[in-house]
Amino acid sequence: MSATRALKVLVVDDSGATRQMLQAAVEALADERGERADVDTAASGLKALQLLPGQNYDLILTDINMPDVHGLELIRFVRQQPQHKDTPILVISTEGAEKDRQKALALGASAYLVKPVEMAALRKAVEGVWPAEKVR
Amino acid sequence: MNDKEFRAEASETVEALARGVSQLDSGLKTGKVSPALINDVFRAAHSLKGVAGLFGVEALGQLTHTMEDLLDALRLGKLPLTSAVLSALDDAVEVFQKLVAGGRENDPKLLDALTRVAQRMAAVRTGDGAEPEGRTLADLDLPQEFFTVLTEYEEHRLSDSAARGVPLYLVHAPLSLDGFDLALAKLTDLLKARGELITTLPSSQSGPGGIAFDMLFAGEMSAEEVKDAIGALSDQYTVTTIGRRNTPAPKEPPPLPVERETDTGVPAPATLAETVRVDIEKLDRLMNVVGEMAVAKSGIARVSEMLKAAGQANHTPVLELQKLARVLERKIDELQSGIMEVRMVPLAQTFERLSRLARKTSREVGKDVQFITRGEDTELDKLLMEQLSDPLIHLVRNAVDHGIEPKEARLKAGKPELGTITVSAQPRGHHVLISVEDDGGGLDEVNIRRTALERGLVTEERVGSLSRRELWNLIFLPGFSTRRETTDLSGRGVGMDVVRTNISRLSGMIEIDSNPGRGTRFTLTVPITLAIIQSLVIRVRGRTFALPLNGVLEILAYEPNLLRTVEGREVFQTRKGSVPLLRLGDVFGFGGEDNPRGYVVLAGVALNRVGLVVDELVGQQDIVIKPLGRLLKGLRGIAGATDLGEASTVLVLDVGGLLEEALGLSAAA
């Protein structure tokens, strides 16, 4: 259990409240598993683009509806990077856009959660993409 | 992150939503609604939904969801923007504003309103269902991978532009990973100013440190013009015309390498404004500290005066001390105005709220009213702004309800059917003038006279001698309000007397101007801040008080031979007529006599005047008013306490309260 490296997580959402909520949730989830999460947050798709190339994330959470560079474009960008080819991506967005949901999954998102997201749903999704053995 | 911050963000989002809905309204009236605006409103609703959960109210979650759904339909062109849709959005915004303003989530009235608005919205929504215009996307000569990343909304915008025959372009911008945000922001602004930027697709570049953007742009301009425009930013940018597969576009050689141009020398824009949200109480604390520093500074100045008086004026340390005291004074002034500046907020938000209120009220009473605002970027202290909002709401509601005549009456009078209400603001030194003006029938003087008589606010003989202005001012008397309506917005009955009291509590004034058949104008004059005020320090029978200078009009010598007694009240004769006299010593029950060689300080709020008998004038000083404890809070005529330095704390007089005392307004009729 000792000195495993912290799980690197990126949270992308243009709402500060949502970002902080997700960050707290992810940290709590990691804690439950006896691990540590190191969470970066980005207030826009553009900010995420600046972070991604220099990092190696274990998990990415993103909204779809953001100005300029949106979630679908971001997922595509993530997948273009060798170090992020298999990084789990959870989309947390609106339930209305069925077509957007399908596209997100087609582009390589691991799961699509609907806002406002509940802790239980988030835990389930994280467990789905983060099997303990894979992270170790 | 605590609940307060959540609320702060929710509140900002709601205001963005409110602004957007307001713009949609004017857009609808002028027939110009930009898709980008609808999308902005949609995104505000979307953000709100994200934080709705924190309020823990299911009804709120439902409303945000219904609203997002509605706006989604709007932006996808599945639902036309109508006044019914706008009205539902307006109502939703209002409920949200109440919630984020600290409304109790479990308030049954609020829950009821939430449910009702959600139902209305759902009802408006059911009218749609029409599929958007035929898809023309397949015809577009775009790389297939584009279609895998476009959101439904972007697809809609793309096909809409294509269907309308707007030329479509693909702008390619290869940038360096390092600091690409500035260059991209410049390019984005440029394109948005010339047309619609449908999407910005980033691509990882194979080269080290590279990133590229493909921007889908719809604009009424030729490829040549696009090329020139973007070429001014960088020679790396290229543009391709997106042709139609079936109906090939005129042959243009895509892609066009942009020719090199000399550097335009335009500096890159500063990074996007970063803002910090600060609790106003923290600013209040800082302000208090600055006030105390100012007091300490006067202490230093005093010490140096003392040294000078002791014949030490030419000693280097004394000169040095004086110099330092002056530097300190300048710096404290800077600090003070710096903090004041931070507290300032533009009136825009308040005006926007008034505009919605005017729309809503005019719908309720069945009048057509246009609402015009001017000077919305005028700034006021945030705290003051909050306290001004109720009076302004009342004035605007009155203007729609009573000011603007019914349609038939307007037509008969040869006026346009559409009534106009203008709310404007302009800075005037340390004050701001805010006026609420309607082009209605003016004040009904016959009715005012009758009401005042009926309610015994004025005697028969007196009413005949009143000037028109005095007659108008009768509407500010307590007990005048002809209707004690309970408003939805404030939830309690308010009359014009409450408006006046609220304004004078802010050391402000309210004036009326009325023109029969042409309209009425209420003008509020309020200080731009309450935090620091200038005061006149006075002494009355051995006690010291501070009198806010903004209520002081004139200082006269006290001359016993100018005293008269009218109806058992002392009045003082001035050049401009007589004013009621108030002996502060008697008001506060000090006993003793007033100095026969003292002064009469002529004080006034709005059009009321009072002469205050004062023994001694000590001087002028900037003060920070601190509230009295709970026990002394309700004390009439006292606004608070302040520290004058030299360890002396004195009471600050409240001119408005004293006036009411003098004129017997508080106990009228």
Side-chain angles (χ1 to χ4, degrees):
Chain A
M1 189 72 241
S2 66
T4 47
R5 102 190 148 87
L7 299 165
K8 285 289 293 179
V9 181
L10 175 65
V11 171
V12 192
D13 199 304
D14 54 345
S15 150
T18 306
R19 280 198 305 279
Q20 301 207 30
M21 213 148 58
L22 291 176
Q23 171 169 10
V26 167
E27 284 167 356
L29 286 178
D31 200 49
E32 278 176 21
R33 300 155 59 116
E35 296 170 57
R36 196 165 62 77
D38 178 4
V39 182
D40 287 342
T41 59
S44 68
L46 278 179
K47 289 262 190 284
L49 296 185
Q50 290 174 299
L51 287 170
L52 279 160
Q55 295 288 344
N56 191 352
Y57 289 108
D58 298 303
L59 176 65
I60 296 169
L61 282 70
T62 182
D63 187 13
I64 294 285
N65 293 290
M66 295 181 289
D68 298 330
V69 171
H70 55 70
L72 296 181
E73 290 166 330
L74 190 64
I75 296 171
R76 175 176 171 274
F77 184 81
V78 168
R79 289 291 179 246
Q80 286 177 340
Q81 297 182 310
Q83 80 270 32
H84 290 133
K85 264 173 63 151
D86 300 312
T87 308
I89 303 176
L90 299 184
V91 176
I92 296 168
S93 191
T94 167
E95 67 201 277
E98 174 57 25
K99 285 179 187 152
D100 293 349
R101 195 182 71 87
Q102 288 169 4
K103 279 187 180 175
L105 296 175
L107 284 166
S110 319
Y112 190 106
L113 306 178
V114 170
K115 276 185 184 177
V117 68
E118 279 167 19
M119 192 64 178
L122 189 63
R123 177 183 293 118
K124 203 160 157 248
V126 171
E127 276 164 5
V129 297
W130 248 7
E133 62 274 20
K134 192 181 161 193
V135 181
R136 261 337 102 86
Chain B
M1 187 173 214
N2 58 32
D3 178 57
K4 209 169 175 178
E5 285 171 70
F6 271 117
R7 274 185 192 272
E9 172 168 324
S11 149
E12 275 174 19
T13 311
V14 169
E15 289 316 325
L17 191 66
R19 265 195 310 281
V21 172
S22 199
Q23 282 166 5
L24 283 182
D25 183 78
S26 27
L28 185 64
K29 281 186 183 143
T30 55
K32 273 194 198 159
V33 178
S34 93
L37 178 58
I38 298 183
N39 195 39
D40 283 349
V41 176
F42 167 79
R43 271 200 298 103
H46 177 69
S47 305
L48 196 60
K49 184 176 155 189
V51 293
L54 74 104
F55 288 99
V57 187
E58 205 174 319
L60 178 64
Q62 264 164 23
L63 178 55
T64 51
H65 172 57
T66 315
M67 182 165 68
E68 189 188 28
D69 201 36
L70 178 95
L71 286 162
D72 198 30
L74 270 181
R75 70 182 191 138
L76 291 175
K78 293 178 182 168
L79 177 71
L81 182 64
T82 60
S83 60
V85 171
L86 265 174
S87 159
L89 288 174
D90 264 343
D91 290 350
V93 167
E94 194 173 307
V95 175
F96 289 143
Q97 279 176 333
K98 278 188 207 163
L99 257 179
V100 296
R104 303 283 294 278
E105 296 85 46
N106 45 15
D107 179 348
K109 261 173 71 185
L110 210 49
L111 281 181
D112 197 42
L114 274 176
T115 320
R116 254 185 299 122
V117 175
Q119 281 166 355
R120 274 194 59 193
M121 224 169 238
V124 175
R125 178 76 174 83
T126 49
D128 76 77
E131 262 302 297
E133 67 287 327
R135 294 268 167 210
T136 44
L137 289 181
D139 291 346
L140 293 176
D141 191 13
L142 258 181
Q144 196 51 42
E145 68 170 342
F146 248 98
F147 295 107
T148 64
V149 286
L150 289 183
T151 61
E152 192 182 1
Y153 171 66
E154 288 167 346
E155 282 187 4
H156 165 69
R157 293 307 315 144
L158 187 60
S159 68
D160 182 55
S161 297
R164 284 185 294 118
V166 182
L168 294 166
Y169 300 100
L170 195 58
V171 172
H172 183 76
L175 294 168
S176 137
L177 204 46
D178 194 23
F180 68 81
D181 52 335
L182 279 182
L184 188 67
K186 246 172 134 172
L187 182 55
T188 301
D189 289 348
L190 180 138
L191 292 175
K192 281 184 179 168
R194 285 167 172 74
E196 185 180 358
L197 178 55
I198 296 173
T199 197
T200 303
L201 178 64
S203 294
S204 232
Q205 289 294 86
S206 45
I211 188 167
F213 293 89
D214 286 298
M215 304 163 93
L216 206 46
F217 171 69
E220 295 285 1
M221 53 200 288
S222 71
E224 207 56 32
E225 287 166 331
V226 178
K227 188 186 84 170
D228 285 349
I230 61 176
L233 293 179
S234 162
D235 60 349
Q236 297 291 309
Y237 301 161
T238 56
V239 58
T240 318
T241 305
I242 299 168
R244 272 68 161 172
R245 283 207 175 96
N246 293 346
T247 48
K251 284 246 165 11
E252 267 184 275
L256 279 175
V258 177
E259 280 151 39
R260 179 162 209 111
E261 274 186 25
T262 47
D263 187 26
T264 51
V266 181
T271 38
L272 296 171
E274 303 273 345
T275 55
V276 186
R277 217 167 9 232
V278 180
D279 193 336
I280 192 126
E281 281 166 29
K282 290 185 186 163
L283 289 180
D284 279 344
R285 281 204 292 279
L286 282 180
M287 206 58 166
N288 272 334
V289 173
V290 173
E292 281 151 20
M293 277 168 74
V295 168
K297 173 219 68 189
S298 2
I300 295 177
R302 219 171 40 248
V303 170
S304 95
E305 284 304 310
M306 278 157 60
L307 289 171
K308 226 160 88 182
Q312 310 264 315
N314 294 324
H315 284 218
T316 320
V318 177
L319 292 174
E320 199 63 18
L321 184 66
Q322 274 174 337
K323 220 164 78 192
L324 287 175
R326 276 197 299 275
V327 172
L328 191 60
E329 178 167 0
R330 270 203 307 278
K331 291 297 154 194
I332 290 175
D333 280 352
E334 270 172 39
L335 188 57
Q336 212 169 55
S337 47
I339 295 177
M340 303 256 265
E341 225 167 84
V342 174
R343 296 171 57 100
M344 296 298 199
V345 286
L347 273 159
Q349 225 179 67
T350 305
F351 278 11
E352 191 284 316
R353 208 172 278 208
L354 293 174
S355 140
R356 187 150 25 77
L357 172 83
R359 286 205 301 278
K360 190 172 178 239
T361 316
S362 59
R363 271 200 298 271
E364 280 167 12
V365 299
K367 293 177 185 173
D368 269 348
V369 174
Q370 60 170 333
F371 191 83
I372 298 172
T373 58
R374 290 204 184 100
E376 48 268 88
D377 44 2
T378 307
E379 295 192 325
L380 261 185
D381 189 295
K382 175 123 166 54
L383 224 55
L384 237 144
M385 186 87 75
E386 281 166 13
Q387 296 175 37
L388 259 183
S389 118
D390 269 358
L392 285 174
I393 282 171
H394 190 74
L395 291 175
V396 167
R397 189 186 290 270
N398 266 356
V400 177
D401 207 358
H402 308 308
I404 303 284
E405 318 91 321
K407 284 177 197 168
E408 312 78 59
R410 289 186 68 89
L411 289 175
K412 215 189 246 168
K415 292 178 169 184
E417 199 175 313
L418 183 69
T420 303
I421 293 176
T422 311
V423 176
S424 59
Q426 56 183 121
R428 275 285 163 81
H430 286 296
H431 286 83
V432 170
L433 255 55
I434 303 174
S435 67
V436 177
E437 188 174 0
D438 66 61
D439 70 343
L443 291 179
D444 183 346
E445 295 173 13
V446 177
N447 196 18
I448 293 177
R449 196 170 289 131
R450 195 180 53 233
T451 308
L453 282 173
E454 266 171 26
R455 286 163 206 257
L457 302 171
V458 66
T459 59
E460 190 93 44
E461 54 185 43
R462 174 112 173 82
V463 85
S465 66
L466 289 178
S467 69
R468 288 182 66 201
R469 194 167 292 276
E470 283 171 321
L471 188 71
W472 299 336
N473 279 327
L474 291 176
I475 67 170
F476 289 128
L477 288 180
F480 180 88
S481 249
T482 43
R483 305 181 320 152
R484 288 266 146 189
E485 80 245 73
T486 300
T487 66
D488 248 6
L489 239 112
S490 56
R492 64 198 146 81
V494 282
M496 290 301 288
D497 59 322
V498 179
V499 170
R500 192 201 53 176
T501 313
N502 285 351
I503 301 292
S504 49
R505 205 169 279 155
L506 306 174
S507 303
M509 311 205 279
I510 179 164
E511 281 163 297
I512 310 178
D513 233 319
S514 169
N515 204 333
R518 306 274 298 277
T520 314
R521 180 175 61 222
F522 288 89
T523 307
L524 315 185
T525 310
V526 290
I528 54 172
T529 181
L530 290 177
I532 291 199
I533 56 168
Q534 286 189 304
S535 76
L536 180 66
V537 181
I538 56 171
R539 282 178 76 75
V540 176
R541 300 189 198 167
R543 289 169 176 83
T544 309
F545 294 94
L547 186 62
L549 210 56
N550 56 17
V552 173
L553 303 170
E554 204 175 342
I555 297 173
L556 307 165
Y558 174 77
E559 288 177 41
N561 61 350
L562 291 178
L563 278 179
R564 302 274 182 282
T565 304
V566 177
E567 290 169 20
R569 282 179 177 278
E570 276 190 301
V571 299
F572 189 78
Q573 195 64 40
T574 73
R575 279 173 291 130
K576 294 177 195 151
S578 55
V579 294
L581 201 66
L582 206 61
R583 294 182 184 275
L584 289 173
D586 293 347
V587 173
F588 296 121
F590 292 156
E593 287 294 317
D594 287 318
N595 178 1
R597 316 183 62 137
Y599 301 88
V600 172
V601 174
L602 203 59
V605 171
L607 292 168
N608 299 314
R609 303 282 177 264
V610 64
L612 305 172
V613 181
V614 166
D615 294 339
E616 202 184 320
L617 301 172
V618 180
Q620 203 173 310
Q621 192 163 344
D622 282 354
I623 57 168
V624 180
I625 300 191
K626 299 188 180 178
L628 293 172
R630 229 182 323 140
L631 280 177
L632 296 173
K633 213 171 184 176
L635 213 57
R636 245 193 137 58
I638 301 292
T642 192
D643 187 0
L644 293 182
E646 302 172 65
S648 78
T649 300
V650 305
L651 293 175
V652 181
L653 299 175
D654 164 23
V655 174
L658 290 172
L659 256 170
E660 287 173 12
E661 187 75 27
L663 303 174
L665 283 176
S666 49

